[in-house]
Amino acid sequence: HPRRLFYLPYILDRPEKPNFAVISINQISSILGILGRIYFRMTIPAPQVGGSYTEGLLKEPRAVNPIYSLTSDTDRDITRLVFSRLLTYDGEGNPEPDLAEKFEVSEDGKIYTLYLRSNALWHDGRPVTAEDVIFTIKVIQNPQYKSPLRPNWQGVEVEKLDERTLRFVLKTSYAPFIENLAVGILPQHLWSAVNPEQALLHKLNLQPIGSGPYRFSRIRQNGDGAITSYELVRNSNYYRAGPYIKKIAFRFFKTEDELISAWKRGRIDGFGPVPAGRLQEFEGARAAIYSLATPRIFGLFFNSSKAPPFAEKEVRQAFSAALDKKKIAELVSSSGAVRTDAAFLMTPSGITDKQSFDLGKSRELLDKAGWKDSDQDGIRDKTIREGNKRVTRQLNFTLYTSDWPDLVKIAEYMQVSFRELGASLAIVAQPFATLETEVIRPRNFDMLLFGQAYGYEIDPFPFWHSSQIKDPGLNVALYNNKKVDKLLEEARRSSDPETRREKYLEAQRIISDDLPAAILYYQLYNYLLPVRIKGVELSQIALPADRFNEIHEWHQKTKRVFK
């Protein structure tokens, strides 16, 4: 009988008692081990609510508002946490529903029908409705609000089919339009009474009410009124899984050095971008660094209308082959870069060999094309026909770029490299506003070192179609190829992703062969998070704020639950 086991200590001799104790402990341990293995097989770790996260930023917020935040990384970051969007993108760059639980696209690609979730609430408890969506789009389209998103929505009609169904109608099919639907929605019941001229100054821009995973808590300011921290707390009524981290705070610093010092002293938990040249400072058990690919591609653009030698393909080929892209990528110390020849579609590795570095080949190309140093001054020259005249030209150019330090370093490298080729290069580095108005828009340059920013839905049309050569188009290479035009037109009209990809690959192959620009690298965004934060799935972003697209799944605490 089991009760007799209790008498064993009295029955056993003194020498037998230790043996009995050891056997008993081993048996109990075995039973517990078996039960533990069964428990772990039948359960999985699940995220739980708890913990906090503090991030460092360089600029304080001005307008936490989805219709204005396009111009500031800080505003975009916080807006992404506070406001929901109709659609969003996951960590690999794939579109997925957010406020809209599903969407449909008509066969002709002109009509997008969205079905809103029934359980989405504003942070003040009121339901999110189709009227809120229509109001937000009308605000963006209204020139009085001066939203930078307005060009994306011109010519788009939006109509309500019922309380949870909306229809967007385009004049012509435009496949990348789906990315426009990743727009934050405003609460009509709060913003409808705000005068458009006063909207940008309204207190709701700093004390916003949205429907996202986090809601506004408080602002801290110093004696001068500058914002020193901005705090958010989890939205317990959020319509998706989570959020699990209880509090998110942002602290603001004047310089990168101050920000990094704050991380080292434990005042903040994470930040981005981490300078590529300082990554080793953050290696260790405390931090995890995510190197995220971005569709921001930098290149050297040739303008043959201002610099006639670039009308010759051999000259463009020679200048391209004289560039060591591996070295150039290493010069991008502020964020990191991966060398590429792809004008707009990143290859899996980001590296191709079509335009390899070969200074000897560059010299041969120029020799073959007749560019010689006839007067022995170190600069090649040639007599060429321009219109009805024959003139002697030297390989003497001016390169314009932004005053961003990384681009200045790359321009200085090019200056040295091209000198070895037998070409003279003057560098003009300007603030972006000046560069845009005085150089880019009027196409007033020989060579331009600059970047092109794409979104998740690749649309090269504004950058490479011949209709975009003149301002406000963005075809700064002044590239004109009818076959490429046709491919770009057909691609943006097609609703089939594979068809678009094939046409873009073909267009890219032709552009690479024509070489209107030497494509150099695409930019990385190095993001540092504490290792205690789990559930982070990130590999690709279009904008820095996209790192927060799935923040509702981030967590610090877990609990085992049955499968």
Side-chain angles (χ1 to χ4, degrees), residues 240-398:
R240 301 176 78 183
Y244 301 105
I245 299 176
K246 291 182 70 173
K247 185 177 81 171
I248 304 283
F250 295 94
R251 294 184 184 274
F252 307 102
F253 302 90
K254 293 181 180 179
T255 67
E256 185 179 84
D257 287 337
E258 288 182 8
L259 187 151
I260 291 175
S261 175
W263 181 84
K264 291 181 176 179
R265 288 183 285 117
R267 292 189 61 210
I268 59 175
D269 301 314
F271 68 95
V274 180
R278 303 184 66 173
L279 287 174
Q280 70 280 359
E281 296 180 34
F282 309 98
E283 294 176 352
R286 177 184 165 194
I289 295 179
Y290 298 81
S291 291
L292 310 177
T294 74
R296 189 174 185 188
I297 299 174
F298 287 79
L300 179 64
F301 298 87
F302 307 118
N303 184 353
S304 60
S305 67
K306 292 286 290 184
F310 289 130
E312 299 180 29
K313 186 175 181 179
E314 292 86 356
V315 175
R316 300 194 302 273
Q317 289 174 325
F319 275 73
S320 179
L323 298 174
D324 185 345
K325 295 183 182 181
K326 183 176 184 294
K327 181 176 180 60
I328 288 173
E330 291 170 352
L331 292 173
V332 186
S333 60
S334 64
S335 58
V338 177
R339 69 186 190 269
T340 185
D341 294 329
F344 43 80
L345 281 180
M346 293 180 290
T347 62
S349 65
I351 301 174
T352 58
D353 298 317
K354 294 178 182 178
Q355 300 168 18
S356 57
F357 170 59
D358 189 337
L359 202 56
K361 178 183 177 183
S362 294
R363 294 190 181 102
E364 289 177 7
L365 284 165
L366 292 178
D367 289 341
K368 184 178 179 181
W371 290 91
K372 313 284 186 179
D373 184 8
S374 59
D375 55 4
Q376 301 299 308
D377 65 349
I379 307 300
R380 294 173 183 260
D381 57 75
K382 178 183 175 182
T383 300
I384 60 176
R385 179 174 294 279
E386 293 183 12
N388 296 323
K389 298 180 180 179
R390 291 184 65 81
V391 296
T392 299
R393 288 276 186 180
Q394 283 190 314
L395 295 184
N396 192 350
F397 307 108
T398 300

Side-chain angles (χ1 to χ4, degrees), residues 196-213:
E197 286 77 15
Q198 300 173 343
L200 192 54
L201 302 175
H202 199 277
K203 69 176 184 180
L204 280 171
N205 287 309
L206 284 180
Q207 300 178 27
I209 292 179
S211 58

Side-chain angles (χ1 to χ4, degrees), residues 171-188:
K171 290 182 178 179
T172 58
S173 58
Y174 174 57
F177 174 76
I178 190 173
E179 191 167 356
N180 291 358
L181 296 174
V183 60
I185 302 302
L186 292 171
Q188 181 186 24

Side-chain angles (χ1 to χ4, degrees), residues 467-488:
S467 67
Q468 305 299 302
I469 287 176
K470 294 183 179 180
D471 182 63
L474 300 175
N475 184 350
V476 294
L478 284 73
Y479 183 62
N480 188 346
N481 184 300
K482 296 304 179 186
K483 187 172 181 180
V484 169
D485 284 352
K486 187 171 186 251
L487 287 166
L488 298 183

